[in-house]
Amino acid sequence: MNRRGYVKAGSDVYTYQIGEDPVMGGTAESSDTIVSAPLVPLNVNGYFVYPFGYNNQEPNEAKELISSNRLLPELIEKQIRMLYGRGPVLYIESRGKDGMPIREYIQDPEITAWLENWREHGMADDYTTYLNKCIRTYYYTEGVFSKWRLARGSIHSHTYPVAGLEHVSVTRCRLATTRNVNGRTDFEDWEFDKVVVGDWVSGTGHEYKVYPRFNYNMPRNSAISYSKNPTHGEEIYAFNVFYRGIKDWIRGSNLTPRYINDYLANALSARLHIIIPEAWMRSKMQLLQAMCERNMSRREEASSGEKVEYERIKFGEGDYMDVGCEYNDSLLQEYTTRELKKLGLFLSGAGKNQGKYYATTSYSDENGQEQRWRIEEVPQKYKEYIEAIKLYDERADYVMLSAKGLDPSISNISREGVISKSGSDAYYNYVIYLNGLTIPESVVCADLNYAIKINFPEKYRRGIRIGFYRPTIARQQDIAPSQRITNQTE
């Protein structure tokens, strides 16, 4: 017999308990507890696949959690736009007079012609789209998978050896090996020389495709490379430290709209708590037991084949509860539930309440103290609840901004949604942020620069690389008044 619960009557919800003693709840361990255990490779069609996270779903979970957040997708878009800048360009890095490295942006018709003919070579995307996809993948997982397309399957062809590159989604790729690694917990990156591609959420074994991992000493057609920003303590995959560090904050931020909507839809109606006296429960149990005994006697006394009319309980016009011949606790549970629903309909005001009445019986305990049904109002602290959620949401915003390394002055997000208007803050924070984009650019462009090395070895030795042109925005006070933004017209 449940000693506490709720009953729904129309749009209203009422909680109840049996007896006066407080009902104590138990404790349970969180299902989200992370176990610090070594990852164990999965056996997929004879390949030992190294899992991406403890459940092999980290890239997929990151995609779903981040894309469902109201703030992070646009923050990542800002990072993508700032890294991409004006787009990919060729450059040679040299030293200035002060010995500091500087980039000299150049034009090379031969390399440019090769890049702009990727689609004609059969690539899925042109090189700008390929790089755009690589940037997006980097900001979710800090690692990039690329499929290599070699001309005529050989690097010794009279055409350029590398026809082009194709981006492969990190949510579909896992590193694997054919070596038997059962019983081991310590692995090195070079051991996983295969890439298994498929749907790791709902796919089946026969849907996976296996590719060789790209070997920089012996390139092969359709091999897949993996370029990454190394993660401390992780040998195989790059893990997005930003996501791992604030995953619970993202999850909480995603749930706040649901909390508010559910509260408005449901919690406002849960306003009454009903206390049922123990004496009433004992009385009804005795009533049901007596009815069962009488029904049993009727059945035993009936002649063979004779239809027996059993006693039953009437709750309303045409609403009867069958009792039967054998008592069990489920009968008392059903009787109590029906009684609570009858009371709930009375309290809810469903239909017209004129002429309605509801009667209960009071009892006395062994000490002569009166026991009766009590209906108590549940205090509804609407303002405190909404304010608490709002404060959590604001804190989550600051945590996510901090984790992404985007100052409010360049993210356009600050207290209560007010855009920061400090020009000097925005300028200097933007310059500092641009100076920190060296590693993301090196990872995103790593495979394309190696393709340039294979196709144009002499030019590569001269220092030609591909990167992104990100001009530093000049401060308005450093620009002639006639050229400032405020004086520009269409």
Side-chain angles (χ1 to χ4, degrees):
M1 176 69 187
N2 294 329
R3 298 187 60 82
R4 68 185 186 277
Y6 70 92
V7 59
K8 188 171 178 62
S11 61
D12 295 318
V13 178
Y14 306 102
T15 60
Y16 72 87
Q17 73 178 62
I18 298 171
E20 299 287 340
D21 295 333
V23 180
M24 305 300 293
T27 59
E29 295 183 4
S30 170
S31 60
D32 291 333
T33 302
I34 296 177
V35 180
S36 298
L39 298 182
V40 179
L42 312 171
N43 194 325
V44 179
N45 296 340
Y47 293 91
F48 293 92
V49 176
Y50 197 81
F52 211 137
Y54 285 97
N55 59 356
N56 195 33
Q57 296 294 320
E58 181 146 323
N60 310 72
E61 288 180 348
K63 177 180 75 73
E64 294 301 326
L65 271 180
I66 293 174
S67 62
S68 300
N69 189 265
R70 73 183 191 288
L71 184 64
L72 286 175
E74 179 57 25
L75 288 180
I76 292 177
E77 283 297 319
K78 283 184 170 65
Q79 291 184 296
I80 292 168
R81 290 193 290 267
M82 284 189 276
L83 177 56
Y84 193 82
R86 297 284 182 85
V89 291
L90 296 170
Y91 69 90
I92 293 178
E93 192 169 277
S94 58
R95 299 283 174 177
K97 294 181 180 180
D98 57 358
M100 300 297 290
I102 58 173
R103 283 187 178 183
E104 176 189 352
Y105 295 101
I106 65 169
Q107 295 284 344
D108 188 290
E110 190 177 11
I111 297 178
T112 300
W114 168 67
L115 289 170
E116 293 181 348
N117 286 330
W118 276 20
R119 297 296 293 271
E120 286 79 358
H121 295 161
M123 300 304 105
D125 299 307
D126 59 36
Y127 78 102
T128 59
T129 304
Y130 161 79
L131 288 172
N132 190 328
K133 289 182 177 180
C134 290
I135 295 175
R136 293 174 184 278
T137 295
Y138 176 85
Y139 279 117
Y140 277 82
T141 62
E142 299 199 9
V144 178
F145 285 93
S146 298
K147 182 184 292 185
W148 290 70
R149 298 294 192 182
L150 304 187
R152 299 184 182 180
S154 170
I155 64 171
H156 304 296
S157 172
H158 66 278
T159 59
Y160 296 126
V162 180
L165 300 173
E166 292 179 349
H167 172 268
V168 188
S169 173
V170 69
T171 61
R172 304 181 66 243
C173 293
R174 300 293 186 270
L175 297 176
T177 182
T178 54
R179 296 180 179 87
N180 190 338
V181 293
N182 279 330
R184 292 180 51 194
T185 58
D186 186 28
F187 305 101
E188 296 186 56
D189 181 89
W190 62 265
E191 295 182 85
F192 294 87
D193 55 357
K194 302 289 188 296
V195 180
V196 181
V197 180
D199 181 357
W200 294 95
V201 176
S202 56
T204 58
H206 68 274
E207 295 176 331
Y208 296 115
K209 295 181 179 179
V210 180
Y211 296 87
R213 188 171 175 184
F214 187 77
N215 186 328
Y216 291 91
N217 294 323
M218 297 181 61
R220 292 176 58 185
N221 190 37
S222 293
I224 295 179
S225 59
Y226 180 48
S227 299
K228 62 182 179 180
N229 183 23
T231 303
H232 174 68
E234 303 286 354
E235 182 64 30
I236 311 302
Y237 297 110
F239 286 94
N240 196 321
V241 177
F242 130 75
Y243 165 73
R244 279 193 163 189
I246 65 169
K247 180 164 57 175
D248 289 337
W249 284 99
I250 300 173
R251 185 179 288 119
S253 176
N254 291 353
L255 287 173
T256 51
R258 186 184 303 175
Y259 288 152
I260 293 175
N261 290 333
D262 286 350
Y263 183 79
L264 294 176
N266 300 313
L268 293 178
S269 61
R271 54 189 176 83
L272 297 177
H273 180 66
I274 302 165
I275 300 177
I276 306 171
E278 294 273 8
W280 183 89
M281 296 296 295
R282 288 194 298 272
S283 171
K284 300 309 172 186
M285 181 176 66
Q286 292 167 3
L287 169 68
L288 293 169
Q289 288 173 339
M291 291 183 68
C292 288
E293 290 175 0
R294 290 196 295 270
N295 285 339
M296 176 66 76
S297 297
R298 290 188 180 190
R299 188 175 69 179
E300 291 174 349
E301 293 171 358
S303 303
S304 177
E306 179 184 354
K307 184 178 180 181
V308 180
E309 292 289 338
Y310 292 118
E311 289 187 37
R312 51 185 183 165
I313 300 173
K314 182 178 180 180
F315 280 91
E317 192 64 34
D319 182 16
Y320 292 91
M321 173 183 164
D322 292 324
V323 176
C325 301
E326 296 181 4
Y327 174 82
N328 56 66
D329 285 344
S330 64
L331 289 174
L332 183 58
Q333 179 73 58
E334 182 182 353
Y335 185 94
T336 305
T337 301
R338 284 171 174 262
E339 191 70 32
L340 286 166
K341 286 184 176 179
K342 188 169 74 170
L343 174 58
L345 289 173
F346 173 79
L347 294 172
S348 69
K352 294 183 178 180
N353 269 333
Q354 290 85 348
K356 278 188 175 183
Y357 66 90
Y358 184 83
T360 62
T361 303
S362 64
Y363 300 83
S364 297
D365 61 16
E366 60 273 11
N367 298 320
Q369 298 295 320
E370 183 186 29
Q371 291 189 12
R372 58 187 177 84
W373 283 61
R374 294 215 323 268
I375 301 172
E376 298 180 347
E377 187 171 357
V378 178
Q380 300 287 332
K381 299 183 179 181
Y382 313 126
K383 182 179 179 181
E384 291 86 344
Y385 182 79
I386 300 298
E387 285 294 328
I389 292 179
K390 182 181 176 182
L391 289 173
Y392 176 90
D393 230 25
E394 290 179 3
R395 178 60 180 167
D397 288 353
Y398 297 146
V399 169
M400 288 186 283
L401 276 172
S402 176
K404 291 303 293 176
L406 287 172
D407 188 89
S409 61
I410 58 176
S411 67
N412 290 346
I413 297 172
S414 59
R415 183 172 298 277
E416 296 183 351
V418 178
I419 297 176
S420 175
K421 300 183 183 298
S422 172
S424 59
D425 280 353
Y427 178 78
Y428 288 112
N429 284 316
Y430 179 67
V431 171
I432 292 170
Y433 184 82
L434 289 185
N435 286 334
L437 293 179
T438 305
I439 290 178
E441 183 185 77
S442 66
V443 174
V444 168
C445 297
D447 290 320
L448 186 48
N449 276 319
Y450 197 81
I452 291 174
K453 181 179 183 178
I454 293 176
N455 281 359
F456 310 96
E458 291 299 325
K459 298 177 187 289
Y460 187 86
R461 276 193 286 271
R462 282 169 40 207
I464 295 180
R465 304 289 189 274
I466 195 167
F468 299 102
Y469 179 55
R470 297 181 295 275
T472 302
I473 300 173
R475 295 179 299 174
Q476 292 295 288
Q477 61 264 38
D478 296 334
I479 302 175
S482 60
Q483 299 298 316
R484 292 176 182 174
I485 294 175
T486 54
N487 295 325
Q488 298 299 307
T489 58
E490 295 293 336

